[in-house]
Amino acid sequence: MDTLLTPSILLLLFSTFVWSGFLEYDQDVLIPDDWTRAGRVDPSEELELTFALKQQNVDVLEEKLRLVSDPDSAQYGKYLSLEEVSSLVRPSEVTHKAVRHWLHSHGITNCRSVCTRDFLQCTMTAEVAEMLLPGSRFQRYVRDGRTIVRSSAPYSVHDDIHQHLDFVGGLHRLPPKGQDQVRKDPGGGGGVHMGVTPAVLRQRYNLTKADVGTSQSNSQAVAQFLEQYYHPADLVEFMIMYGGSFQHRSQVDRVVGTQGGGRAGIEASLDIEYIMSTGANISTWVFTNPGRHESQEPFLQWMVLLSNMSDLPWVHTISYGDDEDSLSTAYMMRINTEFMKAGVRGISLLFASGDSGASCRHLGKENTFRPSFPASSPYVTTVGGTSFKNPFKVTYEVTDYISGGGFSNVFKMPDYQVGAVESYLKSVAATLPPRSYFNSSGRAYPDMAALSDNYWVVSNRVPVPWVSGTSASTPVVGGILSLINDRRLLKGLPALGFLNPRLYKLKGQALFDVTEGCHLGCLDEQVQGKGFCAVPSWDPVTGWGTPNYPALLAALQAE
Ligand SMILES: *[C@@H]1O[C@H](CO)[C@@H](O)[C@H](O)[C@H]1NC(C)=O
Ligand SMILES: *[C@@H]1O[C@H](CO)[C@@H](O)[C@H](O)[C@H]1NC(C)=O
Ligand SMILES: *[C@@H]1O[C@H](CO)[C@@H](O)[C@H](O)[C@H]1NC(C)=O
Ligand SMILES: *[C@@H]1O[C@H](CO)[C@@H](O)[C@H](O)[C@H]1NC(C)=O
């Protein structure tokens, strides 16, 4: 008996200990091979850390989001201001006092807060940070000439503070590597290469010359967290080359963040050039690498910024994601709450679904699919990718095999999609991958899709062909939603806000259903490289399909 009990008691003690000291006990702290360690950070060096304070009324916020996003609710479109969000979720006085006291007792006084008072950003030396957060060890890492500071070991916090914080940002989570966006010439160099341009997209999605923004109060944004920048001159050149057939803008109205020098990146040029081609003549902002410290997490910085800006564009598209299994649950839960905070304000957040299909995780001999976050959040709209059936013609669309999709292991399936996902699971039951590969009770994504293959992009003044990925389809959908917002705003209606509850009620009406092709999965005997396959109606490869603008406008411009 004793010998049987001892290990389990130890385990129990150990897990109690883990729960009380470490906020992010399940955070992956391994540094990927492509980063090189460049030594310990000098104790006197300054770091900036972000403290995510425990919020109040998160359940009320969630219910509020459900009501303002459900077209059948009397509260539909009755969005909250940032001030109102703040009075709902801001941390209690007890939490504030406890955290401030803890920081002060370590001599940390240089902190900035946000309007919602649920984040604190503080600067301190590495020496103080390591005392404040026992376990942490700050190192410098280098990749492609960029350096960052992260902790090589997990951090803990004092027991008195544990209940007042969700996590501390700036210790883990390295910026994911940008995708290699240029695919090889699929035609072997021979045939006429057409490729996707604004004219092709506008033709496919039925946008006429008159379908451009006209509302003064409309705006849209792309957020990017890459080590690369868009160049204003590339956008001008792109519009000269490809913008001839529709009224457009050739300038970004506002850049928030640090727009560094250096060469332009293809990915950085891509989102801006294409959101401004479907969301034509609409004021456009770019959020780029917010944060200046080597210790900051750019994506988190952007989230913090949203809680401190009362006037924001209505639509944001973001091509950013990480494996769910590499992130702590506490972090994902909190970021998900941040998405709710944006949603109740009427802001639409669109995330690329990823470029590795269902993706694959190798666990010993077992393989499973590998969901990606934030694509797997129930409170964002996730966009997958398609190709033309005939790559040289504007034909119907089929699955782009890279299109990210699958089922979350962290977030349970939200009510708005239960019907759609269950009928998918039922209709393809005989041909589904084995259940051990995915979690059929999780949030399923993507929600919709658009072309993601064979784009022309102007980068460093040169047109580049064969640019691909869901980072192309996401701004295309974003621009189209912005156009619909434009018409709604002109009619005095509220913006679309968090779209999914309304999108799923359309049951695919007003979208081009994608019914052919499968995306990538695990390269093993069981699934042989495949993930899921597109079928009629919703599927976890292309969602409900791609936008037919006039039909979607008609469906979404009613109150
Ligand atoms: C938020 O905005 C206020 C007022 O503009 C500013 O004082 C504060 O430093 C900002 N917070 C952060 C974290 O940047
Ligand atoms: C939109 O495009 C499709 C296919 O390109 C076409 O069949 C349809 O007639 C077009 N117009 C509308 C209003 O849906
Ligand atoms: C472009 O948008 C502006 C408002 O931002 C509007 O005044 C103008 O009429 C629009 N152009 C067209 C062709 O609709
Ligand atoms: C499956 O997803 C649910 C949430 O929907 C989660 O609670 C559960 O732990 C997941 N299972 C696995 C094996 O990850």
Side-chain angles (χ1 to χ4, degrees):
M1 222 26 201
D2 263 346
T3 48
L4 274 177
L5 263 180
T6 313
S8 57
I9 287 171
L10 274 177
L11 199 68
L12 197 72
L13 284 173
F14 178 68
S15 54
T16 315
F17 167 69
V18 161
W19 276 100
S20 71
F22 292 83
L23 293 168
E24 299 185 79
Y25 63 94
D26 53 347
Q27 171 66 46
D28 189 351
V29 299
L30 285 178
I31 305 291
D33 293 341
D34 51 350
W35 291 95
T36 317
R37 196 160 98 186
R40 283 273 276 161
V41 168
D42 189 273
S44 66
E45 239 177 272
E46 281 214 329
L47 308 180
E48 182 160 277
L49 300 181
T50 302
F51 299 87
L53 277 66
K54 265 279 190 285
Q55 297 152 320
Q56 301 185 93
N57 301 315
V58 172
D59 50 339
V60 181
L61 176 72
E62 189 163 28
E63 176 61 9
K64 186 78 191 161
L65 177 59
R66 194 185 68 73
L67 292 172
V68 298
S69 321
D70 175 359
D72 296 327
S73 150
Q75 288 190 47
Y76 181 68
K78 300 214 160 65
Y79 299 128
L80 304 189
S81 65
L82 180 59
E83 281 297 323
E84 289 167 328
V85 174
S86 175
S87 32
L88 190 60
V89 302
R90 70 165 158 248
S92 69
E93 271 316 304
V94 173
T95 292
H96 257 280
K97 281 211 179 107
V99 173
R100 292 267 183 192
H101 176 78
W102 173 59
L103 294 170
H104 283 174
S105 71
H106 285 82
I108 301 163
T109 51
N110 188 5
C111 298
R112 288 173 301 142
S113 187
V114 292
C115 180
T116 47
R117 305 195 62 199
D118 45 3
F119 286 111
L120 271 182
Q121 294 198 318
C122 307
T123 51
M124 67 204 80
T125 63
E127 185 177 25
V128 168
E130 289 183 359
M131 305 250 276
L132 183 74
L133 305 167
S136 63
R137 279 175 65 83
F138 287 92
Q139 316 265 355
R140 182 164 274 106
Y141 298 92
V142 185
R143 182 178 70 190
D144 303 335
R146 176 182 185 182
T147 71
I148 60 162
V149 167
R150 290 292 184 273
S151 170
S152 55
Y155 66 93
S156 62
V157 296
H158 195 281
D159 276 353
D160 297 345
I161 288 308
H162 190 267
Q163 71 199 91
H164 298 297
L165 287 180
D166 284 323
F167 68 89
V168 184
L171 290 103
H172 304 309
R173 291 176 289 273
L174 294 104
K177 203 169 178 69
Q179 306 277 339
D180 181 6
Q181 297 293 327
V182 183
R183 279 188 213 165
K184 295 286 159 285
D185 171 4
V192 185
H193 176 262
M194 187 189 67
V196 175
T197 61
V200 168
L201 287 166
R202 294 181 67 89
Q203 181 188 345
R204 169 58 185 160
Y205 299 133
N206 279 332
L207 291 158
T208 69
K209 240 178 128 73
D211 295 321
V212 300
T214 56
S215 162
Q216 299 275 358
S217 52
N218 197 15
S219 56
Q220 58 189 2
V222 301
Q224 42 195 28
F225 315 105
L226 304 156
E227 297 107 86
Q228 42 169 261
Y229 303 96
Y230 99 96
H231 280 188
D234 287 339
L235 177 59
V236 171
E237 170 118 357
F238 177 85
M239 287 300 178
I240 290 171
M241 294 188 72
Y242 301 114
S245 61
F246 57 97
Q247 179 71 35
H248 58 263
R249 300 186 178 212
S250 300
Q251 267 180 346
V252 165
D253 274 346
R254 185 155 171 203
V255 176
V256 185
T258 353
Q259 168 78 324
R263 283 175 70 77
I266 288 176
E267 208 169 323
S269 309
L270 173 67
D271 352 7
I272 295 159
E273 290 171 359
Y274 280 93
I275 199 171
M276 293 181 74
S277 297
T278 51
N281 195 41
I282 295 174
S283 172
T284 305
W285 297 22
V286 176
F287 288 84
T288 179
N289 292 311
R292 287 139 290 149
H293 267 273
E294 291 173 312
S295 57
Q296 284 170 334
E297 299 177 38
F299 178 73
L300 178 61
Q301 288 304 115
W302 172 72
M303 289 259 66
V304 170
L305 214 62
L306 294 195
S307 280
N308 214 25
M309 295 176 79
S310 51
D311 280 313
L312 285 170
W314 292 112
V315 170
H316 297 246
T317 75
I318 307 103
S319 308
Y320 168 86
D322 222 330
D323 298 326
E324 264 187 356
D325 57 82
S326 75
L327 301 169
S328 73
T329 310
Y331 170 83
M332 288 184 278
M333 290 295 174
R334 174 57 187 263
I335 296 296
N336 195 46
T337 306
E338 297 304 308
F339 296 151
M340 295 180 211
K341 282 165 60 185
V344 293
R345 298 167 69 187
I347 293 165
S348 309
L349 299 178
L350 275 69
F351 278 85
S353 71
D355 294 341
S356 327
S359 195
C360 192
R361 183 180 190 196
H362 313 285
L363 281 168
K365 270 196 255 164
E366 308 278 297
N367 285 337
T368 64
F369 296 148
R370 187 167 218 175
S372 159
F373 179 83
S376 70
S377 159
Y379 295 128
V380 303
T381 298
T382 304
V383 182
T386 64
S387 320
F388 282 126
K389 173 67 174 178
N390 177 341
F392 304 107
K393 288 207 177 116
V394 180
T395 51
Y396 70 95
E397 292 159 72
V398 298
T399 297
D400 183 350
Y401 65 96
I402 56 99
S403 180
F407 293 76
S408 175
N409 288 318
V410 176
F411 299 100
K412 74 176 191 11
M413 192 181 298
D415 288 346
Y416 63 75
Q417 68 169 193
V418 168
V421 181
E422 288 194 337
S423 48
Y424 164 81
L425 290 172
K426 209 177 285 169
S427 74
V428 298
T431 53
L432 274 177
R435 291 291 174 129
S436 60
Y437 280 68
F438 67 102
N439 189 335
S440 59
S441 66
R443 144 63 159 155
Y445 65 95
D447 303 300
M448 54 192 292
L451 286 160
S452 57
D453 193 19
N454 252 340
Y455 278 63
W456 283 95
V457 171
V458 171
S459 182
N460 295 299
R461 250 57 105 237
V462 185
V464 182
W466 297 305
V467 177
S468 299
T470 52
S471 45
S473 52
T474 308
V476 166
V477 171
I480 288 176
L481 291 186
S482 279
L483 279 183
I484 298 173
N485 270 343
D486 209 90
R487 296 298 181 266
R488 289 179 60 88
L489 296 171
L490 287 173
K491 288 173 72 178
L493 295 171
L496 288 167
F498 173 49
L499 183 68
N500 294 7
R502 189 160 187 179
L503 177 70
Y504 280 74
K505 281 190 181 174
L506 297 178
K507 299 192 189 304
Q509 173 211 334
L511 295 147
F512 297 121
D513 195 3
V514 179
T515 61
E516 278 182 34
C518 306
H519 65 184
L520 301 167
C522 292
L523 279 171
D524 60 26
E525 263 179 39
Q526 288 241 56
V527 295
Q528 309 197 338
K530 265 200 291 197
F532 299 97
C533 299
V535 295
S537 192
W538 184 92
D539 53 69
V541 187
T542 58
W544 286 106
T546 68
N548 178 9
Y549 175 71
L552 199 58
L553 175 66
L556 296 180
Q557 75 174 347
E559 322 209 358

mmCIF file of all heavy atoms in Angstrom, residues 209-210 212-218 247-249 280-283 486, ligand 3:
data_model
loop_
_atom_site.group_PDB
_atom_site.id
_atom_site.type_symbol
_atom_site.label_atom_id
_atom_site.label_comp_id
_atom_site.label_asym_id
_atom_site.label_seq_id
_atom_site.Cartn_x
_atom_site.Cartn_y
_atom_site.Cartn_z
ATOM 1 N N LYS A 209 -16.582 48.349 -60.053
ATOM 2 C CA LYS A 209 -15.888 49.639 -59.918
ATOM 3 C C LYS A 209 -16.465 50.486 -58.783
ATOM 4 O O LYS A 209 -15.750 51.213 -58.102
ATOM 5 C CB LYS A 209 -16.090 50.405 -61.233
ATOM 6 C CG LYS A 209 -14.833 50.768 -61.973
ATOM 7 C CD LYS A 209 -15.219 51.490 -63.285
ATOM 8 C CE LYS A 209 -14.493 52.807 -63.421
ATOM 9 N NZ LYS A 209 -13.088 52.670 -63.739
ATOM 10 N N ALA A 210 -17.778 50.370 -58.603
ATOM 11 C CA ALA A 210 -18.448 51.207 -57.595
ATOM 12 C C ALA A 210 -18.253 50.661 -56.175
ATOM 13 O O ALA A 210 -18.600 51.345 -55.209
ATOM 14 C CB ALA A 210 -19.940 51.295 -57.915
ATOM 15 N N VAL A 212 -16.256 50.530 -53.616
ATOM 16 C CA VAL A 212 -15.107 51.068 -52.881
ATOM 17 C C VAL A 212 -15.669 51.823 -51.685
ATOM 18 O O VAL A 212 -16.861 52.144 -51.649
ATOM 19 C CB VAL A 212 -14.245 52.017 -53.752
ATOM 20 C CG1 VAL A 212 -13.700 51.293 -54.967
ATOM 21 C CG2 VAL A 212 -15.021 53.263 -54.152
ATOM 22 N N GLY A 213 -14.824 52.090 -50.710
ATOM 23 C CA GLY A 213 -15.281 52.782 -49.516
ATOM 24 C C GLY A 213 -15.587 54.251 -49.786
ATOM 25 O O GLY A 213 -14.908 54.889 -50.594
ATOM 26 N N THR A 214 -16.612 54.776 -49.106
ATOM 27 C CA THR A 214 -16.920 56.201 -49.237
ATOM 28 C C THR A 214 -17.155 56.851 -47.883
ATOM 29 O O THR A 214 -17.228 58.069 -47.796
ATOM 30 C CB THR A 214 -18.178 56.427 -50.107
ATOM 31 O OG1 THR A 214 -19.265 55.690 -49.533
ATOM 32 C CG2 THR A 214 -17.970 55.960 -51.536
ATOM 33 N N SER A 215 -17.301 56.065 -46.825
ATOM 34 C CA SER A 215 -17.611 56.636 -45.517
ATOM 35 C C SER A 215 -16.368 57.284 -44.898
ATOM 36 O O SER A 215 -15.283 56.705 -44.911
ATOM 37 C CB SER A 215 -18.141 55.530 -44.589
ATOM 38 O OG SER A 215 -18.056 55.963 -43.255
ATOM 39 N N GLN A 216 -16.567 58.471 -44.344
ATOM 40 C CA GLN A 216 -15.456 59.184 -43.696
ATOM 41 C C GLN A 216 -15.043 58.503 -42.392
ATOM 42 O O GLN A 216 -13.910 58.628 -41.951
ATOM 43 C CB GLN A 216 -15.882 60.622 -43.337
ATOM 44 C CG GLN A 216 -16.270 61.473 -44.516
ATOM 45 C CD GLN A 216 -15.068 62.138 -45.169
ATOM 46 O OE1 GLN A 216 -13.946 61.981 -44.699
ATOM 47 N NE2 GLN A 216 -15.283 62.858 -46.256
ATOM 48 N N SER A 217 -16.005 57.804 -41.778
ATOM 49 C CA SER A 217 -15.714 57.284 -40.427
ATOM 50 C C SER A 217 -15.233 55.842 -40.452
ATOM 51 O O SER A 217 -15.092 55.218 -39.412
ATOM 52 C CB SER A 217 -16.962 57.411 -39.552
ATOM 53 O OG SER A 217 -18.068 56.823 -40.205
ATOM 54 N N ASN A 218 -14.975 55.307 -41.647
ATOM 55 C CA ASN A 218 -14.541 53.916 -41.723
ATOM 56 C C ASN A 218 -13.017 53.831 -41.716
ATOM 57 O O ASN A 218 -12.333 54.742 -42.190
ATOM 58 C CB ASN A 218 -15.094 53.281 -43.003
ATOM 59 C CG ASN A 218 -15.042 51.771 -42.970
ATOM 60 O OD1 ASN A 218 -14.864 51.172 -41.910
ATOM 61 N ND2 ASN A 218 -15.202 51.139 -44.123
ATOM 62 N N GLN A 247 -11.118 52.827 -57.874
ATOM 63 C CA GLN A 247 -10.708 53.947 -57.031
ATOM 64 C C GLN A 247 -10.004 53.395 -55.783
ATOM 65 O O GLN A 247 -10.528 52.518 -55.104
ATOM 66 C CB GLN A 247 -11.963 54.728 -56.619
ATOM 67 C CG GLN A 247 -11.711 55.913 -55.732
ATOM 68 C CD GLN A 247 -11.047 57.051 -56.477
ATOM 69 O OE1 GLN A 247 -11.334 57.257 -57.669
ATOM 70 N NE2 GLN A 247 -10.155 57.770 -55.817
ATOM 71 N N HIS A 248 -8.801 53.901 -55.503
ATOM 72 C CA HIS A 248 -8.072 53.353 -54.364
ATOM 73 C C HIS A 248 -7.250 54.446 -53.704
ATOM 74 O O HIS A 248 -7.120 55.547 -54.227
ATOM 75 C CB HIS A 248 -7.140 52.243 -54.849
ATOM 76 C CG HIS A 248 -6.175 52.736 -55.895
ATOM 77 N ND1 HIS A 248 -6.406 52.570 -57.233
ATOM 78 C CD2 HIS A 248 -5.026 53.440 -55.804
ATOM 79 C CE1 HIS A 248 -5.425 53.144 -57.928
ATOM 80 N NE2 HIS A 248 -4.579 53.678 -57.071
ATOM 81 N N ARG A 249 -6.676 54.108 -52.583
ATOM 82 C CA ARG A 249 -5.677 54.965 -51.950
ATOM 83 C C ARG A 249 -4.309 54.335 -52.169
ATOM 84 O O ARG A 249 -4.217 53.107 -52.341
ATOM 85 C CB ARG A 249 -5.939 55.073 -50.461
ATOM 86 C CG ARG A 249 -7.297 55.671 -50.148
ATOM 87 C CD ARG A 249 -7.425 55.879 -48.668
ATOM 88 N NE ARG A 249 -8.714 56.506 -48.384
ATOM 89 C CZ ARG A 249 -8.919 57.342 -47.388
ATOM 90 N NH1 ARG A 249 -7.929 57.648 -46.570
ATOM 91 N NH2 ARG A 249 -10.112 57.866 -47.182
ATOM 92 N N ALA A 280 -10.910 48.943 -50.870
ATOM 93 C CA ALA A 280 -10.332 50.058 -51.621
ATOM 94 C C ALA A 280 -10.910 51.393 -51.164
ATOM 95 O O ALA A 280 -12.069 51.472 -50.769
ATOM 96 C CB ALA A 280 -10.591 49.854 -53.110
ATOM 97 N N ASN A 281 -10.110 52.423 -51.226
ATOM 98 C CA ASN A 281 -10.500 53.784 -50.828
ATOM 99 C C ASN A 281 -10.933 53.879 -49.364
ATOM 100 O O ASN A 281 -11.697 54.754 -48.990
ATOM 101 C CB ASN A 281 -11.602 54.324 -51.767
ATOM 102 C CG ASN A 281 -11.777 55.830 -51.640
ATOM 103 O OD1 ASN A 281 -10.799 56.570 -51.541
ATOM 104 N ND2 ASN A 281 -13.026 56.312 -51.627
ATOM 105 N N ILE A 282 -10.465 52.939 -48.539
ATOM 106 C CA ILE A 282 -10.782 52.992 -47.106
ATOM 107 C C ILE A 282 -9.497 53.348 -46.343
ATOM 108 O O ILE A 282 -8.419 52.820 -46.645
ATOM 109 C CB ILE A 282 -11.336 51.639 -46.601
ATOM 110 C CG1 ILE A 282 -12.688 51.352 -47.281
ATOM 111 C CG2 ILE A 282 -11.480 51.618 -45.070
ATOM 112 C CD1 ILE A 282 -13.274 49.990 -46.977
ATOM 113 N N SER A 283 -9.647 54.246 -45.390
ATOM 114 C CA SER A 283 -8.501 54.670 -44.588
ATOM 115 C C SER A 283 -7.874 53.457 -43.901
ATOM 116 O O SER A 283 -8.557 52.655 -43.268
ATOM 117 C CB SER A 283 -8.990 55.679 -43.545
ATOM 118 O OG SER A 283 -7.944 55.966 -42.653
ATOM 119 N N ASP A 486 -18.565 49.777 -44.370
ATOM 120 C CA ASP A 486 -18.721 51.090 -44.985
ATOM 121 C C ASP A 486 -20.191 51.367 -45.316
ATOM 122 O O ASP A 486 -20.732 52.414 -44.972
ATOM 123 C CB ASP A 486 -17.879 51.126 -46.269
ATOM 124 C CG ASP A 486 -17.391 52.511 -46.594
ATOM 125 O OD1 ASP A 486 -16.294 52.869 -46.130
ATOM 126 O OD2 ASP A 486 -18.129 53.245 -47.292
HETATM 127 C C1 LIG B 3 -13.223 57.820 -51.320
HETATM 128 O O1 LIG B 3 -13.449 58.048 -49.925
HETATM 129 C C2 LIG B 3 -13.698 59.392 -49.561
HETATM 130 C C3 LIG B 3 -13.926 59.434 -48.054
HETATM 131 O O2 LIG B 3 -12.848 58.903 -47.371
HETATM 132 C C4 LIG B 3 -14.928 59.908 -50.276
HETATM 133 O O3 LIG B 3 -15.112 61.280 -49.982
HETATM 134 C C5 LIG B 3 -14.776 59.703 -51.786
HETATM 135 O O4 LIG B 3 -15.989 60.067 -52.422
HETATM 136 C C6 LIG B 3 -14.472 58.247 -52.074
HETATM 137 N N1 LIG B 3 -14.283 58.030 -53.518
HETATM 138 C C7 LIG B 3 -15.153 57.353 -54.263
HETATM 139 C C8 LIG B 3 -14.809 57.225 -55.724
HETATM 140 O O5 LIG B 3 -16.159 56.847 -53.822
#
